[in-house]
């Protein structure tokens, strides 16, 4: 028996509790007989599918705490409560009980004398209602987890954007030429340092082959650099010659590193 599906029974007079439990058992519904309202309250807090309580059980000192616990249920929860009342004329006890539970909500009254089929049917309706509440609980938990993941992703993205902004500022203000290119050698980014050193603006050079910066007799270097980068290797402090926009040649020390995306692809 899953405790969140059981029906708690409180009927302290005679054989009412035992008889009710037998009726539920024949209907395939698990139940747990309680001795007093304090026990009902504690077991409800542990988990229950519905409550069956006789009206005379609601005159104890525990009634106030029981009502308060019901009012403090989580947003998804509205435990079905079947209250078995005395038959005949309306009594002051019945009036007080209705008033007491007015703010609680999910109450169903059954009047004595009570047929077994009526009790079983009421219990089945209560269990189905509680199952829908558990489905709502699951959906709310799934939504909460999804929102937590979204918030976590947003925070990580914010941190990443901040890091990228800081990195972009460093690149932009560097006196060194910092250039990015794809594996075909096409220039993708070009900082101010590169503009000062080579003489090309970003608008002029981005989208062109990096070999426009190579003297004719150094063109073959690019093939070897691309080969090593494609293998994930780093080219450190490679001493060579490059050409400015005005055609002048100058010595340069290159460091070329592979850049990987989130999937690890260069």
């Amino acid at each position: 028996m899953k405790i969140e599906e059981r029906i708690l029974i409180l009927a302290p007079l005679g054989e009412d509790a035992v008889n009710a439990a037998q009726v539920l058992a024949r209907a395939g519904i698990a139940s747990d007989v309680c001795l007093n309202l304090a026990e009902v309250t504690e077991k409800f807090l542990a988990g229950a599918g519905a409550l069956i309580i006789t009206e005379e059980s609601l005159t104890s000192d525990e009634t106030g705490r029981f009502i308060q616990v019901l009012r403090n249920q989580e947003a998804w929860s509205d435990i079905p409560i079947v209250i078995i009342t005395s038959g005949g004329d309306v009594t002051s006890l019945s009036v007080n009980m209705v008033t007491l539970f007015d703010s609680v909500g999910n109450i169903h009254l059954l009047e004595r004398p009570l047929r077994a089929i009526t009790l079983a049917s009421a219990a089945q309706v209560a269990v189905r209602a509680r199952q829908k509440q558990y489905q709502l609980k699951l959906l709310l938990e799934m939504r909460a987890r999804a929102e937590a993941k979204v918030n976590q992703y947003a925070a990580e993205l914010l941190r990443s954007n901040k890091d990228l902004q800081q990195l972009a500022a460093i690149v932009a203000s560097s006196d060194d030429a910092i250039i990015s290119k794809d594996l075909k050698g096409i220039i993708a980014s070009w900082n101010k340092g590169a503009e000062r050193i080579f003489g090309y603006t970003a608008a002029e050079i981005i989208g062109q082959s990096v070999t426009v910066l190579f003297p004719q007799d150094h063109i073959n270097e690019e093939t070897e650099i691309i080969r090593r980068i494609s293998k994930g290797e780093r080219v450190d402090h490679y001493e060579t010659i490059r050409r400015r926009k005005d055609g002048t040649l100058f010595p340069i020390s290159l460091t070329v590193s592979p850049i990987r995306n989130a999937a690890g692809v260069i």
Side-chain angles (χ1 to χ4, degrees):
M1 175 181 66
K2 296 181 179 180
I3 61 172
E4 65 270 17
E5 296 178 355
R6 64 185 173 178
I7 290 184
L8 302 179
I9 300 173
L10 178 59
L13 298 182
E15 298 295 320
D16 287 352
V18 173
N19 292 337
Q22 290 175 348
V23 169
L24 298 186
R26 287 194 293 270
I29 301 172
S31 63
D32 194 346
V33 175
C34 300
L35 298 178
N36 50 54
L37 199 55
E39 185 179 356
V40 171
T41 302
E42 295 307 315
K43 288 186 175 180
F44 162 63
L45 291 172
L51 312 178
I52 295 178
I53 301 174
T54 57
E55 66 176 0
E56 61 270 11
S57 304
L58 299 171
T59 58
S60 72
D61 294 338
E62 286 293 323
T63 302
R65 178 171 179 264
F66 175 64
I67 296 297
Q68 191 59 47
V69 167
L70 293 178
R71 288 173 179 163
N72 292 338
Q73 293 179 81
E74 296 183 53
W76 60 268
S77 178
D78 190 14
I79 184 79
I81 304 174
V82 176
I83 298 180
I84 300 175
T85 66
S86 300
D89 295 335
V90 176
T91 64
S92 59
L93 178 60
S94 298
V95 173
N96 290 337
M97 180 196 62
V98 171
T99 303
L100 188 64
F101 280 89
D102 183 58
S103 62
V104 175
N106 200 1
I107 305 297
H108 183 61
L109 303 179
L110 293 181
E111 186 177 287
R112 295 185 178 100
L114 188 63
R115 297 174 62 190
I117 191 171
T118 302
L119 178 61
S121 177
Q124 290 169 340
V125 170
V127 167
R128 285 196 295 270
R130 190 60 167 171
Q131 288 173 343
K132 291 181 179 179
Q133 293 175 22
Y134 286 135
Q135 291 172 358
L136 175 60
K137 177 187 178 184
L138 179 61
L139 290 174
L140 291 174
E141 289 173 346
M142 291 172 62
R143 186 178 72 175
R145 287 194 295 269
E147 289 176 349
K149 287 183 179 180
V150 169
N151 291 337
Q152 180 183 1
Y153 176 76
E156 291 174 353
L157 185 60
L158 186 62
R159 287 193 296 270
S160 296
N161 287 341
K162 185 177 180 180
D163 291 341
L164 288 173
Q165 289 171 358
Q166 291 175 341
L167 179 59
I170 291 171
V171 170
S173 61
S174 175
D175 290 331
D176 293 328
I178 301 177
I179 304 167
S180 68
K181 61 183 180 180
D182 62 21
L183 291 178
K184 294 180 180 180
I186 302 302
I187 296 172
S189 66
W190 184 264
N191 74 336
K192 291 293 184 181
E195 185 174 320
R196 287 190 294 269
I197 291 171
F198 289 97
Y200 292 96
T201 66
E204 291 174 318
I205 199 70
I206 290 176
Q208 294 196 51
S209 172
V210 73
T211 55
V212 300
L213 308 176
F214 288 48
Q216 193 61 37
D217 56 349
H218 285 263
I219 293 292
N220 291 337
E221 292 177 2
E222 179 65 2
T223 301
E224 177 60 16
I225 291 172
I226 293 295
R227 185 190 68 80
R228 293 180 61 181
I229 293 300
S230 298
K231 293 171 62 177
E233 297 179 7
R234 175 186 170 97
V235 178
D236 280 316
H237 305 298
Y238 180 69
E239 305 293 334
T240 186
I241 303 294
R242 289 294 179 262
R243 182 174 60 195
R244 295 188 177 94
K245 181 180 179 180
D246 63 8
T248 59
L249 304 181
F250 65 99
I252 194 171
S253 177
L254 298 177
T255 295
V256 187
S257 301
I259 300 175
R260 300 179 185 274
N261 62 18
V265 179
I266 297 173

